[in-house]
Amino acid sequence: MGVTRVKTAILLLALAGLIAGLALHLSGQAGLATLAWWAGVLPALAALVIEIARSLGRGETGLDIVAALSMSAALGFGETLAAAVVAVMYSGGTFLEGFAEGRARREMQGLLSRVPRSATRHRNGALQEIPLDEVAPGDRLLIRQGDVVPVDGTLASATGFVDASALTGESLPIRLERGAEAMSGATNVGEAFDMIATRPARDSTYAGIVRLVEAAQRARAPMARLADRWALGFLAVTLLIASAAWALSGDPIRAVAVLVVATPCPLILAVPVALVAGLSRAAHYGVLIKGAPALEALARMRVLILDKTGTLTDGRPQIVSISCLGGQTEAEILRLAAALDQASQHPVAQAIVAAAQARGLALPVPSGVTEHPGEGLVGQIEAHRVIVGGEGFVAAQIGASPGSTALDAGALLVAVAIDGRMAGHLVMADPLRAGMAQILTGLRREGIARIVLATGDRREVAERVTQGLGLDGLSAGMTPGGKVALVQAERAQGPVMMVGDGVNDAPALAAADVGVAMGARGAAASAEAADVVLLVDRIDRLGAGLAIARGARRIALQSVVAGIGLSVLGMIAAAFGALSPVQGALLQEVIDVAVILNALRALRIVPRV
């Protein structure tokens, strides 16, 4: 039985015992009513004792001790109705807390699911499907279009085209020549190719990233519950007032009344209610926060580490300029190039098609198309023979010499020839998201004091793309392990939040105090390793998440302070004999309702987005 089911069962038993006991008591069957209340209290008390033992074994002291004392004392001195009320209050609070944490992250098994469970191996002139564990160095494997490279190896075919953005952060596909290294976890976006395995699956790049994630999660210190940080002080005050009441009056019932009033339900109830409300409110803005501890931590972040590709940038190649070399206009060059590229699944070709469609250009159907994998396409568009591809490929097709167009770092040049003549060039790049400078300013306004870029790209690419953003630091050429080390180093400046979207970001997301994944188009690995997932492809929603987290935590603290203040006043009244245990339990219920209503204000937080 899962933890949530156990908490639900305990709450239902406590509630059933309280209601049944009240019904029996009103019908004049006091003895049976007492048994019913005992039956409702004992499961909650047993669960409390077990949790206290576990907490003490970890060297932790929580609010569970106060609740256990109040229930035990009430039962010991015959105040079974008060004990039943406390049991319902406490089990209700732990149920709410369990509900909040029920949205916690899934296991990292999903990270492994991205890698195929089998591989296609050449053997004796035939192809055979074998389990991934049976792949050995030296095996010749077939990687079909769309396949994820299962193990590290070297290219055995003449060329190959892979998308390694999830591993390296490079947004543009990579062309591989014979003998080049093919990393596990990259996706084949070109024609099928052969590769020679150089490592078994357990030693490959992707498996190493999985181990980094798991190690980072184990090494990260657990986040303490907000309520438990108040526990020791509240426990000391409670015991002091209860002991004084008993010692000065000689009446142990006064001590029981104090303990019942002191049952820390403002902490047990108000905190999870405010945080669950914050989780719900954040989800409304497309920010999935995986549990109350993650929301608490998000509210305290001071350092932000950003990946570049797919985070600061859109992560997809876009046309940034079109140069015309003949008599055609930019629109005509783009229209003919995009019409031909409709016949290709290559990411760059699809980006060109999308750009033409965004401009409202009508794209005719190509005919007689020949695709040269990793090079370009040749085909007929209306009455024109069109060639689209790399500068060298297009120049060779028309019998010309390649030009020498200067490009910014990280840009890609696509040449277009029409009817045997070079017509122009499309310059592709992965630019910054719109309004990124304003977004970072907004994050600083929400309490982020330091913003650092961590990318697998080359430094010159990163510096060009982020110019003018006012970053506090920039680390380029980062490996997954390097990003983890950066997270650990930056922790000296304050709690660290890491934002990324690729498999290569997953270890750093797991190592950070709060990991944030761009879940709309990011890798499943990063979404599962993260504490927060942005469900929409908008980095500005991170600011909304921060504002909601800070607001929910502030409301939770307000509820705690008000609830504890009222409880202390009630404890003092009980110590002087003004409240019986049952009256104290009912007073505590009134306080609970008040702090819960206040906590629900978190549902109305409106962040600036």
Side-chain angles (χ1 to χ4, degrees), residues 433-453:
R433 292 175 183 266
M436 184 51 66
Q438 290 79 8
I439 291 171
L440 296 186
T441 299
L443 292 174
R444 292 186 189 277
R445 191 167 53 241
E446 294 298 338
I448 299 298
R450 178 172 170 81
I451 301 177
V452 177
L453 180 70

Side-chain angles (χ1 to χ4, degrees), residues 139-476:
D139 283 347
R140 188 182 184 97
L141 306 178
L142 172 67
I143 311 299
R144 303 180 183 90
Q145 187 176 43
D147 283 353
V148 175
V149 178
V151 298
D152 292 346
T154 57
L155 200 70
S157 300
T159 59
F161 236 83
V162 298
D163 177 4
S165 59
L167 296 170
T168 65
E170 291 280 359
S171 58
L172 299 175
I174 300 171
R175 175 191 169 97
L176 303 178
E177 303 287 349
R178 190 187 304 275
E181 181 181 7
M183 290 189 295
S184 59
T187 303
N188 180 14
V189 295
E191 297 296 316
F193 62 78
D194 287 348
M195 61 171 281
I196 305 298
T198 56
R199 296 188 185 95
R202 64 179 179 276
D203 297 330
S204 290
T205 301
Y206 200 83
I209 291 177
V210 173
R211 287 192 293 271
L212 271 174
V213 172
E214 293 172 338
Q217 287 181 329
R218 287 194 300 269
R220 183 170 60 180
M223 292 175 284
R225 294 186 304 170
L226 176 64
D228 283 344
R229 291 194 289 273
W230 293 70
L232 285 176
F234 189 76
L235 176 60
V237 170
T238 299
L239 293 177
L240 179 64
I241 296 177
S243 301
W246 190 350
L248 295 176
S249 68
D251 183 4
I253 299 302
R254 290 195 183 187
V256 173
V258 170
L259 290 173
V260 169
V261 176
T263 301
C265 289
L267 290 172
I268 297 167
L269 292 172
V271 171
V273 166
L275 298 185
V276 170
L279 297 178
S280 176
R281 190 59 175 165
H284 176 76
Y285 286 88
V287 183
L288 174 61
I289 303 175
K290 297 182 180 180
L295 186 139
E296 277 193 58
L298 183 62
R300 301 194 301 271
M301 291 303 101
R302 298 290 293 165
V303 179
L304 172 62
I305 299 178
L306 290 166
D307 177 49
K308 181 182 75 67
T309 304
T311 303
L312 281 182
T313 67
D314 187 61
R316 293 172 289 197
Q318 299 178 24
I319 296 175
V320 294
S321 66
I322 302 175
S323 63
C324 304
L325 303 178
Q328 288 85 3
T329 63
E330 288 187 10
E332 182 66 4
I333 292 172
L334 177 59
R335 185 182 77 89
L336 294 176
L340 181 58
D341 276 338
Q342 291 178 107
S344 174
Q345 291 296 317
H346 194 284
V348 173
Q350 293 302 300
I352 292 173
V353 172
Q357 292 172 338
R359 296 192 187 191
L361 301 178
L363 304 181
V365 177
S367 60
V369 178
T370 302
E371 182 168 6
H372 300 259
E375 299 281 0
L377 294 92
V378 180
Q380 196 75 16
I381 306 296
E382 296 171 336
H384 303 287
R385 182 174 182 268
V386 180
I387 306 170
V388 179
E391 175 81 5
F393 169 76
V394 175
Q397 290 288 317
I398 62 176
S401 299
S404 57
T405 305
L407 291 175
D408 289 334
L412 174 70
L413 189 71
V414 177
V416 182
I418 302 173
D419 297 328
R421 299 182 61 185
M422 193 69 75
H425 295 101
L426 310 177
V427 179
M428 312 285 293
D430 184 15
L432 279 177
R433 292 175 183 266
M436 184 51 66
Q438 290 79 8
I439 291 171
L440 296 186
T441 299
L443 292 174
R444 292 186 189 277
R445 191 167 53 241
E446 294 298 338
I448 299 298
R450 178 172 170 81
I451 301 177
V452 177
L453 180 70
T455 177
D457 269 353
R458 302 184 305 277
R459 174 166 287 275
E460 60 269 23
V461 175
E463 289 178 343
R464 179 187 62 80
V465 170
T466 60
Q467 188 174 7
L469 290 183
L471 299 176
D472 299 298
L474 189 157
S475 297

Side-chain angles (χ1 to χ4, degrees), residues 7-19 36-48 66-72 74-75 79-95 259-260 263-265 268-269 585 588-589 592:
K7 291 181 177 180
T8 303
I10 291 173
L11 172 60
L12 292 176
L13 288 172
L15 192 59
L18 175 62
I19 294 173
W37 287 328
W38 269 87
V41 172
L42 287 179
L45 185 57
L48 259 175
V66 181
L69 283 174
S70 64
M71 274 190 263
S72 301
L75 290 176
E79 298 288 341
T80 49
L81 173 57
V85 173
V86 172
V88 169
M89 289 190 296
Y90 182 81
S91 56
T94 56
F95 172 81
L259 290 173
V260 169
T263 301
C265 289
I268 297 167
L269 292 172
Q588 189 62 62
E589 284 287 3
D592 292 344

